[in-house]
Amino acid sequence: MAKKIINEPSRTLMEYRLLPGLSTMQTAPENISLRTPLVYSAKQEKKYYLNIPLVSAAMQSVSGAKMGIELAKLGGAAFIYSSQTIESQADMIRKIKNHKAGFVKPKAVKLNMTIAEMYRIRKETGHSTFPVVNDENIFLGLISKWDYDISLHGKFKVKDRMISKENIEVGVNISDLKEANNILLESHKSVLPILDETGKLLYLVFRKDINDHLNNPLEVHDEKKRLLAVASINTHDYQERVHELIKAEVDVIAIDSSDGFTVYQKETIEWIKDNFPEIPIIAGNIITQEGFRYLVEAGAAAVKVGMGGGSICITQEQKGTGRGLATTIFDIVKSRDEYFKETGKYIPVAADGGVTSTKDITIALALGADYVMMGRYFARMEESPTEKIVVNNRVMKPYWGEGSNRAREWINKRYNQSKFVEGVEGLVEYAGHIRDNLDETLAKIKSSMSTCGASNLEEFHKTAELELVSALSIREGKAHDIYLSAESNEAGEDVKIEN
Ligand code: IMP
């Protein structure tokens, strides 16, 4: 006899609808905040919050450096995938951390370094402008990619090609970006070295970073104003991988597994906590309250929940394991709230897999999720790592599961013991830039919260009222009994909707 048989079916997000609450001035969409904690942090550090409750999945076809940079600029985070070599993943993290809004501390070079040596650092770090300093870190000049041609000047010294400090406008002890921006404007330059009163180099400020920053008020930063970077890991090569990711200055580590309720995750969490106690760990995926307790007691600072719902996922079919995401969230959120009452530790919950529309995101948040992880949604964007292709006159991007044959070459770790696939490979329709898509997605989330009378996610969790709807009612909620004009119909033809 099985230990437990639940005879209530588990529910998916699409089966729920929200009931309205009292809308007020405070809950007008323009007054709604979508700020949410990424991980539990004893110090409530600013850097561990997202400004929008959306993260992109740790998948080869979704989350590379470009996604990491753009999503952090827009208030969310990309979980950089681990199904690649340690070096290339660390490189992606470095790219995100080096893409800085505001004050940058780039690697400095010395007068007698050859241009060829400096060029190697340029390739490693992605920086194209270097400050030149002496052994005491006194600022001597700048050298940028415009000052040399590697084929002509490889053997030259930095001092032969740099612009020396006499010809450079500098700022002294400036910590305000606006002030730095004013000096840059007046000097017609694109980079401003900031020195202390003794002439030692503190930072560089780039004009393009300032502009970028002013355009992105929701940007997520670390305390040095660099973009926040999250990397996923597996439970196999984690010791070596985490070392390298920390060297690349990753902020948060997430363990990526379809089933997180394992002793391997516990060991991984414990090892990281012993070796790098400062680094928060997101664990998962789990779908039961037991799984939640197990990972949180091991030291997880947030959990990802969901199994079997992903758009490319065939785990339920292949293994018979999984659970509807609405029931999963509901169950785990109950445990999270109990755990908070017991310990005062609030462990954020990420809803992951199978979120197909904005209303699903909103329902997940209403049920108590702190943020939502999506693969398909972000795979369609310009910033995902895949190339666009044209199929039947439609622009598409490839999208494949981490458990598909295509990814398994790399995944060796995640699914290699199994003799079957858990994911498929397909195409998704290209959707343009994240920025443009998010505008509409966030507007819809805010509009629903406004209707429900919640001005932030904490209030939404406490006050949302949801109702399970019948299949007929879901049908009624769509356009029906009219001829849809070509404009409203995705296929571009007039179509009669049957009732
Ligand atoms: P989507 O947003 O519905 O496309 O789901 C993305 C999520 O599916 C990821 O965040 C993973 O949790 C999960 N996932 C990724 N690859 C696979 C796979 O190959 N099999 C099963 N689940 C997967």
Side-chain angles (χ1 to χ4, degrees), residues 57-59 256-258 285 306 308-315 352-356 373-377 399-404 414-415 422-424:
M59 298 172 73
D256 182 29
S257 171
S258 58
N285 286 18
S311 57
I312 33 51
C313 174
I314 51 169
T315 302
D352 175 25
V355 174
T356 54
M373 172 174 267
M374 292 183 291
R376 192 197 65 91
Y377 177 92
Y399 178 45
W400 62 93
E402 291 290 288
S404 67
R414 187 170 167 183
Y415 293 100
E422 285 191 48
V424 296

Side-chain angles (χ1 to χ4, degrees), residues 288-319:
T288 61
Q289 297 190 330
E290 291 86 340
F292 174 83
R293 276 279 161 175
Y294 186 75
L295 291 183
V296 166
E297 281 167 8
V303 289
K304 288 172 286 143
V305 309
M307 183 189 284
S311 57
I312 33 51
C313 174
I314 51 169
T315 302
Q316 300 208 33
E317 264 177 5
Q318 295 279 63
K319 293 175 40 178

